[in-house]
């Protein structure tokens, strides 16, 4: 009797991307099993796929399920708010993994995620990036849609690149909002949507600002890649911005067609940039 084939395990936070990864793996002939983190994963997204819900601290339950479903490859995808240690309530296996994480528990998000990827590898899993399954969700450099940034917007994008690269080196965040050379807001643990709300309250007179989203320098790409979705564009417009710039090749679009359509509807530019080439183009 032939053994069941190995499966792709998806550790799912919020948003639609866990299902997109499942669809891509299934289309490639690979069985899929999803572990949805309680309080983060969305039931409607997981419903069509074999899945179980696990609380963040229940690492023993998570590992048992992954082995039971013959998962050899893992994908971490979807946002999860970083919990406090007090609220985590780890099981015995979770406590063992927390001990192995050591100082990474008190590092920034990227330091913690990189350590988690390393430990999952040591547990025998091959951790893969969502971008390996979602190549159609990655854009090459260039403008998506009809609207293009003018000279002032490009100057704001260049300034935003410098700001986000500095933030990223300190493992703080992946985005900022710049308007006419003024930094209105930078992203920290609250995430992009909350940052955009703050930026809207700081809007200055004149042309609207721009959102810049980049991968952190040296970031572990298999976890927490920058993500742009139609809601990002809606929130950018609500904050009075006139466009969004994101890193080409290193940003996931939750639905590229819907993102382009929303940008068109709202009159926003949407541009994929090469950060270093962008900086070299400074007038």
């Amino acid at each position: 009797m032939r053994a069941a084939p190995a499966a792709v395990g998806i550790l799912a936070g919020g948003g639609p991307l866990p299902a997109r990864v499942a669809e891509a793996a299934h289309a490639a002939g690979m069985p899929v099993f999803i572990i949805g983190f309680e309080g983060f994963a969305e039931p409607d997204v997981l419903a069509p796929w074999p899945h179980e819900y696990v609380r963040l601290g229940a690492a023993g339950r998570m590992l048992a399920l992954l082995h039971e479903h013959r998962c050899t490859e893992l994908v971490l995808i979807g946002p999860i708010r970083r919990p406090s240690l007090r609220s985590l309530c780890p099981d015995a296996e979770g406590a063992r993994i927390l001990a192995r994480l050591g100082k990474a528990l008190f590092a920034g998000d990227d330091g913690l995620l990189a350590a988690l990827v390393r430990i999952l590898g040591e547990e025998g899993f091959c951790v893969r990036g969502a971008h390996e399954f979602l190549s159609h969700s990655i854009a090459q450099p260039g403008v998506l849609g009809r609207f293009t940034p003018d000279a002032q917007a490009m100057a704001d994008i260049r300034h935003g690149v410098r700001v986000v690269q500095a933030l990223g080196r300190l493992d703080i965040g992946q985005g900022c909002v710049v308007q006419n050379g003024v930094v209105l807001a930078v992203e920290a643990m609250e995430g992009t949507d909350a940052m955009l709300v703050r930026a809207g309250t700081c809007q200055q007179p004149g042309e609207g600002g721009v959102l810049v989203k980049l991968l952190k320098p040296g970031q572990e790409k298999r976890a927490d890649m920058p993500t742009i979705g139609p809601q990002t564009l809606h929130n950018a417009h609500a904050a009075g911005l006139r466009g969004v710039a994101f890193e080409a090749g290193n940003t996931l679009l939750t639905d590229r067609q819907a993102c382009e359509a929303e940008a068109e509807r709202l009159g926003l530019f949407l541009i994929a940039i090469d950060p270093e080439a962008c900086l070299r183009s400074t007038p």
Side-chain angles (χ1 to χ4, degrees), residues 3 16 22 25 70-71 87 97 114 139 143 165 175 184 200 230 260 263 269:
R70 296 180 54 81
C71 298
S87 68
I97 288 176
V143 173
Q165 286 182 338
L184 301 187
E260 291 190 33
F269 65 76

Side-chain angles (χ1 to χ4, degrees), residues 17-34:
L17 286 178
R20 302 274 195 274
V21 173
E23 291 163 3
H26 179 74
M30 293 178 281
V32 169
F33 176 67
I34 302 179

Side-chain angles (χ1 to χ4, degrees), residues 69-211:
H69 289 270
R70 296 180 54 81
C71 298
T72 58
E73 299 184 344
L74 293 184
V75 179
L76 287 69
I77 186 66
I80 296 172
R81 293 185 306 278
R82 184 169 179 160
S84 67
L85 291 179
R86 181 174 296 178
S87 68
L88 203 52
C89 299
D91 59 13
E93 189 69 18
R96 182 178 70 86
I97 288 176
L98 287 177
R100 290 168 67 189
L101 285 169
K103 292 181 180 179
L105 279 169
F106 306 101
D109 284 346
D110 194 45
L112 177 59
L113 289 168
L116 182 58
V117 167
R118 173 181 54 79
I119 287 173
L120 288 170
E122 292 170 357
E123 292 289 328
F125 299 103
C126 174
V127 182
R128 298 180 61 185
H131 59 286
E132 298 179 53
F133 293 89
L134 302 176
S135 58
H136 58 285
S137 296
I138 303 291
Q140 297 307 306
V143 173
L144 284 67
R146 183 161 53 93
F147 298 99
T148 60
D150 61 17
Q152 179 59 59
M154 286 305 303
D156 284 346
I157 290 170
R158 285 189 291 270
H159 189 41
V161 167
R162 288 188 286 268
V163 170
V164 178
Q165 286 182 338
L167 290 173
R169 291 188 188 97
L170 297 173
D171 200 0
I172 294 174
Q174 299 174 327
C176 75
V177 174
V178 180
Q179 181 187 14
N180 296 324
V182 176
V183 179
L184 301 187
V186 296
E187 180 184 3
M189 69 179 297
E190 84 278 26
T192 303
D193 290 340
M195 176 190 66
L196 287 171
V197 172
R198 280 194 292 111
T201 67
C202 299
Q203 186 179 6
Q204 305 293 300
E207 294 287 352
V210 301
L211 166 64

Side-chain angles (χ1 to χ4, degrees), residues 10 14-22 45 77-78 130 134 137 227 252-255:
I10 300 172
L17 286 178
R20 302 274 195 274
V21 173
V45 171
I77 186 66
L134 302 176
S137 296
T227 302
L252 290 169
L253 299 175
T254 61
D255 185 327

